[in-house]
Amino acid sequence: MGKGSGYGKVILFGEHFVVHGVPGIVSAIDSSTDAEVKKASKLTIRDERKTAKGYSEEKRLQQIESIERMLKAMDLDPKMPLDIWIGGSLPGFSGLGASAASSVAIARAISEELNLNLSNEKINSVAYEGEKAYAGNPSGIDNTAATYGGVMWFKKNPAGGQDLVEKIHLKRPVEIVIGSTGKVANTKAMVEGVAERKKANPAKYDPLFKQAESLAVAGRKAIEAGDLKKVGDLMNENHRILQEIGVSSKELDLLVDMARKQGAFGAKLTGGGGGGCMVALTPGKDLQGKVASAFKTAGYEFIATKIGVVTY
Ligand code: PMV
């Protein structure tokens, strides 16, 4: 039997914009998806992740397509019969890179089961192929975070070359609370929607994409300087432009407001939006606890964790 894992992530700056070549900042979180793979006589997928209601059913076809794409990218028969188990501590909530984490986990488990000895670089590129089934035209930020962990600056293949990936060093790990709307979102539809609206309305969208770039640059400086108040303010700004490009939702805005009212330094949706999750920057155990208990009281699921704990 082959085994593998992939990290979940939160995007601190630049989801959606990153698909179009704007830099983004991502942090892996200390929850991962695990996979076990065995050669078999037919394809079986046992998905035992804790998920938002309807997540597995909604993603089922994309999951099968993703596995076929990955097998092809490994020069294997895309219809190869395998017994695949998926579990681990990362919940199947939209926005946490759960699809990328599962792709990395499955690719690693296949590599081990078939003695392919694939490098991390190859696993990352195979998982990127798998991500296409879930995201259509993914940036690659999720699979890169799922493969390597850490906090990183990511820019999709500048000038048509390799993706630019740089480590970002935090002064210390910082507490965050991830709130889940409980709504399953379709990343592919969200990414396509942004691309269509951008094309139809460049006068509105081009300046927003410029702002997203400035926010990522300023966010990186503030993170590296340990200026968490500034990071929070910039995250708030990032949420505002995500609202403007039409990827937030009533529940996301509600959770973002709730976190800010409890004193979060900043809060924004994370990932594809349209449902899924948001992230609040809550330095210190007390503030983290306050935001987490507000979510709990209001009946929302949450993950209280840290950015900067999972290292390369
Ligand atoms: O919703 P998630 O966890 O799949 O994150 C998607 C992030 C996007 O920027 C919207 C898409 C991408 O490929 O970067």
Side-chain angles (χ1 to χ4, degrees), residues 9 11 15-16 18-19 95-97 99 135 138-142 187 191 271-272:
K9 64 98 221 295
I11 295 181
E15 48 274 274
H16 284 290
V18 77
V19 171
L96 299 184
S99 57
S139 64
I141 195 168
D142 282 14
T187 306
V191 168

Side-chain angles (χ1 to χ4, degrees), residues 135-151:
N137 170 30
S139 64
I141 195 168
D142 282 14
N143 46 277
T144 305
T147 303
Y148 297 104
V151 181

Side-chain angles (χ1 to χ4, degrees), residues 82-204:
L82 294 168
D83 182 63
I84 300 176
W85 171 87
I86 309 168
S89 56
L90 180 71
F93 294 161
S94 298
L96 299 184
S99 57
S102 73
S103 296
V104 168
I106 292 168
R108 283 189 168 136
I110 293 174
S111 170
E112 192 174 294
E113 170 69 356
L114 303 180
N115 294 315
L116 303 177
N117 247 323
L118 301 184
S119 64
N120 275 338
E121 202 183 346
K122 180 70 182 172
I123 294 289
N124 192 22
S125 74
V126 166
Y128 178 72
E129 281 307 308
E131 267 295 273
K132 288 184 183 167
Y134 295 102
N137 170 30
S139 64
I141 195 168
D142 282 14
N143 46 277
T144 305
T147 303
Y148 297 104
V151 181
M152 22 168 118
W153 174 262
F154 180 94
K155 188 167 159 64
K156 186 176 181 176
N157 50 25
Q162 292 243 314
D163 297 334
L164 174 73
V165 182
E166 290 171 356
K167 290 183 195 183
I168 295 183
H169 296 280
L170 265 66
K171 294 219 180 284
R172 64 165 189 86
V174 183
E175 290 77 6
I176 56 168
V177 182
I178 296 164
S180 168
T181 62
K183 295 254 157 72
V184 179
N186 184 336
T187 306
K188 191 170 175 183
M190 298 306 293
V191 168
E192 283 168 3
V194 173
E196 275 161 26
R197 293 191 290 278
K198 182 178 189 290
K199 199 164 161 214
N201 194 352
K204 174 178 173 186

Side-chain angles (χ1 to χ4, degrees), residues 30-295:
D30 60 351
S31 301
S32 56
T33 298
D34 303 328
E36 291 176 6
V37 168
K38 268 190 293 220
K39 284 184 225 154
S41 53
K42 63 178 176 53
L43 176 69
T44 323
I45 305 170
R46 287 172 294 129
D47 192 341
E48 291 181 4
R49 288 175 293 177
K50 172 191 167 189
T51 64
K53 199 162 172 280
Y55 180 92
S56 304
E57 297 74 15
E58 170 95 20
K59 305 278 174 186
R60 193 70 178 176
L61 290 177
Q62 293 180 345
Q63 187 177 51
I64 293 169
E65 184 192 332
S66 155
I67 292 165
E68 289 181 2
R69 280 177 173 276
M70 290 199 289
L71 287 166
K72 204 160 165 231
M74 289 187 254
D75 293 322
L76 298 167
D77 173 7
K79 301 278 179 207
M80 175 180 271
L82 294 168
D83 182 63
I84 300 176
W85 171 87
I86 309 168
S89 56
L90 180 71
F93 294 161
S94 298
L96 299 184
S99 57
S102 73
S103 296
V104 168
I106 292 168
R108 283 189 168 136
I110 293 174
S111 170
E112 192 174 294
E113 170 69 356
L114 303 180
N115 294 315
L116 303 177
N117 247 323
L118 301 184
S119 64
N120 275 338
E121 202 183 346
K122 180 70 182 172
I123 294 289
N124 192 22
S125 74
V126 166
Y128 178 72
E129 281 307 308
E131 267 295 273
K132 288 184 183 167
Y134 295 102
N137 170 30
S139 64
I141 195 168
D142 282 14
N143 46 277
T144 305
T147 303
Y148 297 104
V151 181
M152 22 168 118
W153 174 262
F154 180 94
K155 188 167 159 64
K156 186 176 181 176
N157 50 25
Q162 292 243 314
D163 297 334
L164 174 73
V165 182
E166 290 171 356
K167 290 183 195 183
I168 295 183
H169 296 280
L170 265 66
K171 294 219 180 284
R172 64 165 189 86
V174 183
E175 290 77 6
I176 56 168
V177 182
I178 296 164
S180 168
T181 62
K183 295 254 157 72
V184 179
N186 184 336
T187 306
K188 191 170 175 183
M190 298 306 293
V191 168
E192 283 168 3
V194 173
E196 275 161 26
R197 293 191 290 278
K198 182 178 189 290
K199 199 164 161 214
N201 194 352
K204 174 178 173 186
Y205 278 71
D206 290 353
L208 293 171
F209 275 64
K210 286 226 163 61
Q211 278 179 44
E213 173 132 26
S214 309
L215 284 175
V217 171
R220 178 174 185 171
K221 265 200 199 130
I223 291 171
E224 287 175 337
D227 186 349
L228 298 177
K229 282 273 183 221
K230 179 85 185 172
V231 177
D233 289 345
L234 295 166
M235 286 169 69
N236 288 339
E237 260 308 284
N238 197 166
H239 185 67
R240 190 188 57 74
I241 61 173
L242 287 163
Q243 286 174 317
E244 289 210 39
I245 65 167
V247 296
S248 193
S249 72
K250 206 166 68 222
E251 293 86 358
L252 283 167
D253 290 346
L254 187 139
L255 287 171
V256 162
D257 283 345
M258 210 187 281
R260 289 179 189 157
K261 284 206 181 92
Q262 296 301 321
F265 284 24
K268 60 181 277 294
L269 72 86
T270 185
C277 293
M278 52 69 71
V279 56
L281 189 72
T282 55
K285 279 242 158 290
D286 290 352
L287 181 54
Q288 186 185 43
K290 242 178 121 188
V291 171
S293 58
F295 287 175

